[in-house]
């Protein structure tokens, strides 16, 4: 639905996202979708806004929910439970890239044309993504690159999604912005956590 091309692989994911078209438009688009009620206790509900799901390399916010780092999961069973659920959902993204690579095996190795003609390489990647979406629309099936669910389950059991942000973006709201950052950045994820704590108490 949205791709960002032109960045070297050495650039942090969070920086790429912050400079992307999606970063400047997703909050307004998701706000138009409204909210969904979610039980967080006996006869208690909280309204959860539509959100994008990302790994811990990104900055957590109202409409961008990130997984927790492993250190936080180890300290709290409910955090680990929520992280498991978020990470399991996020692996659909990994499968999407696996399907793309399975269909277009040119992505199995670095593109030699990127070193010789960068603009051509960018157009090539964009064109392949457009063609990939067309093949999805006409229901052309490809499964070679899909990640087996058993492999996903094993990775999640070993401590979350396995992608801690190198630049520590996951902790920015809490450690730098203090209470204000926690209120703005954690409101949605904390509501999800209250839902999980309530479920854990029922078990």
């Amino acid at each position: 639905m949205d791709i960002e091309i032109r960045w070297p692989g050495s650039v942090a994911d969070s920086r790429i996202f912050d400079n992307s078209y999606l970063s400047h438009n997703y909050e307004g688009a998701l706000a138009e979708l409204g909210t969904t009620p979610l039980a967080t206790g006996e006869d208690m509900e909280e309204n959860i806004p539509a959100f994008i799901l990302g790994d811990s390399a990104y900055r957590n916010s109202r409409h961008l929910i990130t997984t927790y780092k492993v250190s936080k999961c180890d300290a709290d069973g409910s955090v680990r439970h929520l992280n498991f659920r978020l990470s399991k959902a996020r692996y659909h993204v990994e499968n999407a890239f696996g399907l793309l690579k399975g269909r277009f095996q040119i992505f199995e190795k670095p593109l030699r044309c990127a070193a010789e003609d960068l603009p051509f390489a960018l157009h090539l990647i964009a064109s392949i993504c457009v063609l990939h979406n067309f093949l999805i629309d006409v229901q052309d099936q490809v499964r070679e690159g899909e990640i087996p669910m058993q492999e996903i389950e094993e990775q999640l059991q070993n401590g979350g999604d396995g992608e801690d942000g190198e630049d520590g973006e996951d902790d920015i709201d809490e450690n730098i912005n203090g209470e204000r950052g926690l209120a703005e950045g954690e409101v949605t994820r904390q509501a999800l956590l209250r839902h999980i704590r309530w479920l854990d108490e029922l078990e």
Side-chain angles (χ1 to χ4, degrees):
M1 296 180 66
D2 183 271
I3 58 174
E4 180 73 14
I5 309 170
R6 71 185 167 86
W7 294 87
S10 58
V11 178
D13 292 349
S14 57
R15 181 184 174 193
I16 296 174
F17 179 73
D18 288 343
N19 288 276
S20 69
Y21 172 86
L22 179 63
S23 175
H24 296 93
N25 293 276
Y26 78 101
E27 291 184 338
L30 293 179
E32 294 179 1
L33 299 178
T35 60
T36 301
L38 183 69
T40 55
E42 192 68 31
D43 299 324
M44 293 178 58
E45 286 185 345
E46 296 186 47
N47 292 320
I48 306 298
F51 59 83
I52 295 175
L53 185 59
D55 64 44
S56 59
Y58 299 96
R59 181 183 291 105
N60 187 61
S61 68
R62 175 177 171 81
H63 292 287
L64 175 58
I65 304 304
T66 63
T67 51
Y68 291 89
K69 293 187 177 181
V70 176
S71 58
K72 294 186 178 181
C73 297
D74 292 340
D76 190 318
S78 292
V79 170
R80 183 176 181 84
H81 184 186
L82 174 58
N83 212 55
F84 178 85
R85 291 196 172 196
L86 295 177
S87 299
K88 190 172 182 180
R90 201 184 63 76
Y91 264 90
H92 287 289
V93 177
E94 303 301 328
N95 277 340
F97 281 106
L99 292 172
L100 179 67
K101 292 173 66 177
R103 176 177 278 135
F104 299 98
Q105 297 183 14
I106 189 174
F107 290 134
E108 291 293 339
K109 297 180 180 180
L111 297 176
R112 285 193 296 176
C113 63
E116 301 168 359
D117 189 341
L118 184 57
F120 173 80
L122 301 183
H123 283 94
L124 174 64
I125 295 170
S127 300
I128 288 176
C129 289
V130 171
L131 181 58
H132 181 59
N133 280 343
F134 168 77
L135 293 172
I136 291 174
D137 288 343
V138 298
Q139 300 182 344
D140 176 76
Q141 299 295 320
V142 57
R143 302 185 62 86
E144 289 84 351
E146 189 169 358
I147 302 174
M149 180 54 69
Q150 181 179 359
E151 179 181 335
I152 294 174
E153 295 282 354
E154 290 175 356
Q155 291 185 30
L156 296 179
Q157 293 292 352
N158 291 330
D161 62 11
E163 292 196 40
D164 289 345
E166 294 180 2
D167 50 4
E169 293 279 358
D170 184 65
D171 297 319
I172 285 181
D173 287 334
E174 297 175 48
N175 294 339
I176 297 179
N177 295 333
E179 294 182 359
R180 178 174 176 274
L182 182 62
E184 294 179 355
E186 280 284 323
V187 60
T188 304
R189 192 166 68 171
Q190 285 298 315
L192 295 176
L193 183 57
R194 284 190 287 273
H195 170 71
I196 292 297
R197 291 195 192 283
W198 177 62
L199 292 180
D200 289 343
E201 291 174 0
L202 294 177
E203 294 181 353

